[in-house]
Amino acid sequence: AGTPQYMSPEQARGAQLDQQSDLFSLGSLLYALCTGRPPFRDDTSYGVMRKIIDEEPAPIRKYSPETPLWMVELVEQLMAKKKEDRFETAREVHTLLDACISHIQNPSSNAIPSQLLLNQTTIAKRKLMKRLAAIGLVMIVIVLGMIQWRFQYLNNKKLEEHYALQDLDALDGYVESL
């Protein structure tokens, strides 16, 4: 049946499995090795499987900031929710890892494979999207606060007018009685 924390989304859904399912599980194992925790956690196996299907794991660098970006990219590609976004074969992953080991052993003559390098544009876009989302959230809170304040102001104004009219009616009644 498999260990729930390392299942692929298709395995958690009960769909047909293939080598790309195993690659997702490899990515989950590498995630755990990098962070010291499984990518999906919950109190129940069912809860873990729902998270595998519906959620993305927390970024590796949240728990392990020293993890090289190429490793983060490798794990993210291995753990892509859609099979077509994952590596196709274990041989492809093996070749990339060999190239990464060669780079670690001799960085001056062996580059990291280009498909594992996040280009600066992608990184900048991710940062920009996070900032825009935060700014949008702040703007929504401000607008809602202003709307609430405006309604309170108008309600207070109506109450003041109401009480002022009552006071005038009372004053009219008093003047007439005199």
Side-chain angles (χ1 to χ4, degrees):
T3 305
Q5 286 88 353
Y6 304 100
M7 286 182 174
S8 65
E10 54 273 14
Q11 188 174 8
R13 283 191 299 269
Q16 187 167 348
L17 307 179
D18 60 13
Q19 63 188 3
Q20 285 180 295
S21 298
D22 292 336
L23 293 176
F24 185 96
S25 297
L26 173 63
S28 296
L29 179 64
L30 290 174
Y31 180 101
L33 290 171
C34 289
T35 64
R37 57 190 296 142
F40 304 99
R41 296 169 50 163
D42 199 88
D43 294 335
T44 66
S45 294
Y46 177 77
V48 170
M49 290 189 286
R50 288 298 333 151
K51 286 184 177 187
I52 290 170
I53 293 168
D54 298 330
E55 298 179 14
E56 294 295 329
I60 289 175
R61 289 185 133 203
K62 175 180 178 181
Y63 302 112
S64 181
E66 70 281 355
T67 304
L69 286 175
W70 62 265
M71 177 60 88
V72 171
E73 184 63 21
L74 175 77
V75 172
E76 286 179 0
Q77 286 185 39
L78 284 166
M79 293 183 67
K81 296 287 186 193
K82 296 178 184 174
K83 288 171 55 171
E84 57 269 13
D85 294 338
R86 289 183 216 146
F87 296 105
E88 289 187 26
T89 65
R91 182 171 306 283
E92 183 181 0
V93 176
H94 178 264
T95 302
L96 288 171
L97 286 173
D98 270 348
C100 292
I101 290 170
S102 296
H103 170 75
I104 291 168
Q105 292 171 341
N106 191 355
S108 59
S109 60
N110 297 313
I112 295 292
S114 60
Q115 67 195 102
L116 294 180
L117 292 176
L118 285 175
N119 64 41
Q120 294 305 312
T121 306
T122 303
I123 293 169
K125 283 180 184 177
R126 287 182 182 175
K127 286 182 180 178
L128 178 63
M129 292 306 291
K130 287 179 182 178
R131 287 183 183 143
L132 288 175
I135 290 169
L137 184 60
V138 168
M139 294 300 293
I140 289 170
V141 168
I142 289 171
V143 168
L144 289 175
M146 290 174 63
I147 290 170
Q148 182 182 3
W149 176 83
R150 181 70 178 152
F151 280 128
Q152 285 179 335
Y153 173 79
L154 291 174
N155 284 339
N156 288 343
K157 200 72 164 154
K158 286 179 184 176
L159 283 173
E160 286 174 8
E161 289 173 5
H162 175 74
Y163 289 127
L165 287 174
Q166 282 183 343
D167 289 345
L168 283 175
D169 287 344
L171 185 60
D172 281 345
Y174 177 72
V175 168
E176 284 179 16
S177 68
L178 289 178

